[in-house]
Amino acid sequence: MTILKKQCVVGILFITIIVGIGYYTYWYFYWQNLSYSPGIIQALKQAGQNHTELQKVLEHYNQPKDSLKLKTAHFLIENMSEKYSKENRPIENYQTMFDEWLKLKIKYFYIDSKTSDSMVMAYGLTSQQKRLSDLQHIKASYLINNIDRSFEVWASMPWGKNVPFDVFCEEILPYRISTEPLENWRDIVLEQYRTLYDSLRTSNVDVMTACIRIFEAMGMEWDSVNKLSDLLPSRNYSMLNHVRTGPCTERVKYGIFVMRAFGIPVSWDYTPQWPFRNMGHSWVSVRNTDEKYIPFIPAELKPGDPHKPDHRMAKAFRHTYSLNKQSLAYISKSKYLPYVFRNMFIRDVSSHTFSASDIVINSKFFSVSKCDFIYLSVFDNQSWVPIQWAKMTNPAVFVDMGKNISYLPVTYKDGVIVPCGTPFIFTSQAKIRWLKADTTRRQSLRLIRKHPFLANWDVKMVGGQFQGANREDFSDAVLLYTIEKDPDFYYCNIPIHETGIYRYYRYVLPKEGTGPAELGFYEGKDTVRITGKIIGTSGSYQGMPSRTINKAFDGDVLT
């Protein structure tokens, strides 16, 4: 390299360094001279070039008459760091795909995973989409519209005077619920329910009465079984309203959109794991005049009705807009945390949801000493799932735990759950009963079911009839048996006292009812199973291989 070339390289490098130092020096003094709180300054730094949009919001409300709105702007921006949505796709793509999916479901009743996967791919709606940070993409006009609309319903609705500012910020103000694409959903909801909105605004009803009226106006149309929901990014209000389908989480988001648009203070509460079966559960909680939270589920559970009274809970949490500095995700320095506790925007609401008590355990009962946190886990019928944590102190205190539930102490190391103590039952009297196998005393058990049954198909069989006939059209049908009470969920033997001899037998569903998963007819003292041609109405199959009528006679209760 020639001397001239070397000098050019050195010169370019020197200029680059000077420019870089100047750039960072400028921004350093720029941020330092802003009269904002540390939280706002940090958010503006993270926003990058989009900081101008956020500053527009702050400047818009920087006048005495808008002092309260300025506080809400600070609240939204300071807690925006982890808020995002997936890269937007045209809403028409979602609607067209869901319309197609519903047509197939009506025709075939059941849509397999392969079909759902291919539809999502065909419409370009895969979950592998670019993450769009709100700090770096949100527009000032959007935030201003959200704040103004929130204040309008807070001030105009008769129950608004009973909603404190801090509750308003958490349960009415937030512009998003999950990671859905952003839209001006408040305007869309109120336009859709304009008549009801005007009626409530000019009435003198309390918040619970209003919540029930809105719940009823939303209707009961909803399809819970939807394989597409697990494959798609979170949906916004327009998407949910177009096709009302999906699990309880989608119902909850739909309900929160509507209720918050009306100025009803609501939260998304959930239990991450049932202690007696797989999966968890979500519901909406509305804050009543007595400052208590009442659960409901859109298109399923009316506000004030009992919420799964036969389901025990180990823990209940609430999604929040603001960061929780007491959360494990915030205070822990470990990068390895159980999935339940990786979220800094949740808080424990177990004590407000069910009768809970602290579990206090002496550290001598743990087979580990060098760890920061101990977890209590529940069994989901396949594996143990951590549900609460405690600092490794003596004693360790697990706050607000569900009773009459079995727990296993575990640690979480490098992403692996490791048992570190004896399982126990936390009794209904809030006592610990350790579970240790006694191999000297054994007993025989006859298990009729390994899993609690949670559906209501048994009720839908009440009124079903078994008939015999000698004519194929059953014009001479004779009643053999009527199901008069909920049947048990295992094989039931029904004795027939009618002594006639028949060529045809059938089961007739009650109105809007259902049939058995497995069915057999027997004759003679040796109970020989009758074989023959399977008959039935065309409505029994719906054209899908997994739902054909022969599945009721294949000896498998799971088909």
Side-chain angles (χ1 to χ4, degrees):
M1 182 180 291
T2 65
I3 295 175
L4 181 59
K5 287 183 178 179
K6 288 183 180 179
Q7 290 176 338
C8 289
V9 170
V10 173
I12 293 171
L13 180 62
F14 177 76
I15 293 172
T16 301
I17 294 173
I18 293 298
V19 171
I21 293 174
Y23 175 84
Y24 285 108
T25 301
Y26 168 79
W27 282 113
Y28 174 80
F29 285 106
Y30 175 81
W31 295 121
Q32 293 300 316
N33 284 283
L34 289 176
S35 57
Y36 293 143
S37 67
I40 291 292
I41 292 178
Q42 181 63 27
L44 293 174
K45 288 180 179 179
Q46 293 177 6
Q49 294 182 347
N50 198 53
H51 76 271
T52 55
E53 292 292 320
L54 302 180
Q55 285 181 276
K56 286 180 185 178
V57 178
L58 299 172
E59 292 167 2
H60 179 79
Y61 294 119
N62 191 23
Q63 45 191 323
K65 69 182 182 66
D66 288 331
S67 59
L68 210 54
K69 288 185 177 181
L70 182 61
K71 287 184 179 180
T72 62
H74 278 252
F75 173 81
L76 292 175
I77 295 172
E78 285 181 347
N79 291 284
M80 198 182 286
S81 61
E82 297 297 321
K83 310 297 188 296
Y84 68 94
S85 58
K86 297 294 180 68
E87 186 177 10
N88 292 343
R89 294 287 189 269
I91 190 171
E92 293 79 9
N93 287 27
Y94 288 92
Q95 293 175 346
T96 304
M97 183 197 62
F98 274 117
D99 290 343
E100 184 67 23
W101 188 88
L102 281 178
K103 289 178 183 177
L104 292 174
K105 190 171 187 296
I106 292 171
K107 182 177 180 180
Y108 297 121
F109 183 75
Y110 175 83
I111 306 297
D112 58 32
S113 298
K114 184 177 180 181
T115 301
S116 298
D117 292 346
S118 63
M119 291 181 68
V120 172
M121 292 293 292
Y123 285 93
L125 301 175
T126 60
S127 58
Q128 301 300 319
Q129 295 178 349
K130 183 179 178 181
R131 176 168 164 164
L132 302 176
S133 164
D134 287 359
L135 281 174
Q136 297 174 1
H137 292 87
I138 205 164
K139 299 301 179 184
S141 59
Y142 180 82
L143 278 180
I144 290 171
N145 176 272
N146 178 80
I147 292 171
D148 289 347
R149 295 294 176 271
S150 300
F151 270 83
E152 285 174 12
V153 293
W154 188 29
S156 63
M157 289 305 192
W159 57 84
K161 59 182 179 293
N162 297 318
V163 180
F165 180 69
D166 60 333
V167 175
F168 166 78
C169 288
E170 281 286 0
E171 300 175 11
I172 296 177
L173 173 69
Y175 60 89
R176 71 156 64 251
I177 298 171
S178 182
T179 59
E180 70 277 358
L182 295 179
E183 64 175 355
N184 287 323
W185 50 271
R186 297 182 191 273
D187 297 332
I188 299 171
V189 171
L190 294 186
E191 183 60 32
Q192 179 181 347
Y193 294 98
R194 175 59 59 183
T195 302
L196 178 58
Y197 170 70
D198 291 338
S199 173
L200 291 174
R201 186 166 51 88
T202 56
S203 66
N204 192 31
V205 298
D206 62 14
V207 68
M208 284 303 299
T209 302
C211 184
I212 292 172
R213 287 183 59 182
I214 298 168
F215 172 90
E216 292 171 345
M218 290 165 61
M220 299 300 288
E221 179 189 354
W222 197 277
D223 182 4
S224 296
V225 183
N226 181 1
K227 290 183 177 298
L228 293 177
S229 296
D230 295 334
L231 304 174
L232 295 173
S234 181
R235 288 177 277 162
N236 59 22
Y237 176 76
S238 295
M239 298 173 189
L240 290 169
N241 190 50
H242 180 73
V243 181
R244 302 186 184 197
T245 180
C248 58
T249 53
E250 302 302 304
R251 290 178 188 255
V252 165
K253 287 185 282 188
Y254 180 73
I256 292 177
F257 278 128
V258 176
M259 293 296 172
R260 286 182 177 173
F262 274 86
I264 304 286
V266 289
S267 299
W268 177 354
D269 291 355
Y270 68 103
T271 182
Q273 178 60 58
W274 291 115
F276 57 90
R277 56 161 291 187
N278 63 332
M279 299 176 62
H281 177 58
S282 293
W283 61 94
V284 186
S285 289
V286 54
R287 183 183 187 273
N288 69 10
T289 307
D290 297 329
E291 303 180 14
K292 294 181 180 179
Y293 286 85
I294 309 301
F296 73 93
I297 304 173
E300 180 179 330
L301 179 72
K302 184 178 179 179
D305 287 352
H307 178 221
K308 297 189 179 297
D310 57 340
H311 282 46
R312 296 187 300 276
M313 286 189 196
K315 293 298 300 179
F317 297 96
R318 174 169 298 162
H319 289 284
T320 61
Y321 183 86
S322 61
L323 183 147
N324 179 12
K325 294 185 178 181
Q326 278 71 51
S327 65
L328 183 60
Y330 186 85
I331 66 176
S332 174
K333 295 180 175 59
S334 173
K335 64 179 180 179
Y336 295 109
L337 291 176
Y339 178 78
V340 174
F341 304 112
R342 296 174 191 172
N343 190 347
M344 293 185 289
F345 297 87
I346 61 172
R347 68 184 182 89
D348 193 333
V349 292
S350 301
S351 61
H352 304 296
T353 308
F354 53 84
S355 175
S357 296
D358 295 350
I359 295 178
V360 182
I361 303 178
N362 192 297
S363 61
K364 70 179 182 180
F365 290 101
F366 302 132
S367 59
V368 61
S369 56
K370 294 183 178 180
C371 65
D372 295 325
F373 303 101
I374 294 287
Y375 303 92
L376 289 185
S377 55
V378 294
F379 193 62
D380 74 347
N381 86 7
Q382 289 187 341
S383 58
W384 289 92
V385 179
I387 201 77
Q388 179 60 308
W389 60 275
K391 291 182 179 180
M392 186 56 177
T393 56
N394 190 19
V397 180
F398 301 90
V399 178
D400 293 337
M401 302 300 299
K403 291 177 280 192
N404 202 21
I405 293 171
S406 58
Y407 297 99
L408 175 69
V410 300
T411 58
Y412 196 75
K413 185 176 181 180
D414 298 334
V416 178
I417 293 173
V418 181
C420 67
T422 303
F424 63 90
I425 293 177
F426 191 48
T427 69
S428 55
Q429 290 76 37
K431 303 294 183 182
I432 293 177
R433 180 160 63 87
W434 299 100
L435 298 175
K436 189 175 181 180
D438 184 353
T439 58
T440 63
R441 294 187 299 171
R442 299 180 179 181
Q443 56 181 310
S444 298
L445 298 176
R446 180 173 180 265
L447 301 180
I448 58 175
R449 188 175 183 85
K450 68 175 184 178
H451 194 282
F453 199 87
L454 304 171
N456 61 344
W457 295 332
D458 55 339
V459 178
K460 294 183 178 180
M461 290 184 69
V462 174
Q465 294 183 347
F466 293 93
Q467 299 175 350
N470 285 306
R471 295 178 182 174
E472 189 173 0
D473 63 359
F474 278 77
S475 59
D476 62 339
V478 174
L479 177 63
L480 303 178
Y481 183 82
T482 300
I483 299 176
E484 297 180 345
K485 63 178 183 178
D486 300 357
D488 294 317
F489 285 98
Y490 44 84
Y491 281 110
C492 302
N493 295 321
I494 299 173
I496 303 300
H497 301 295
E498 170 63 42
T499 58
I501 298 175
Y502 306 100
R503 184 176 182 181
Y504 303 100
Y505 296 91
R506 72 177 181 181
Y507 169 76
V508 182
L509 278 70
K511 185 178 180 181
E512 299 182 358
T514 188
E518 190 64 24
L519 179 62
F521 295 93
Y522 298 80
E523 65 177 351
K525 294 181 179 179
D526 297 329
T527 60
V528 178
R529 185 163 182 164
I530 299 172
T531 59
K533 180 182 178 181
I534 300 172
I535 60 175
T537 59
S538 59
S540 298
Y541 342 4
Q542 300 291 336
M544 282 298 290
S546 61
R547 298 281 173 169
T548 51
I549 198 169
N550 65 296
K551 298 296 184 181
F553 301 92
D554 65 354
D556 187 350
V557 297
L558 298 180
T559 55

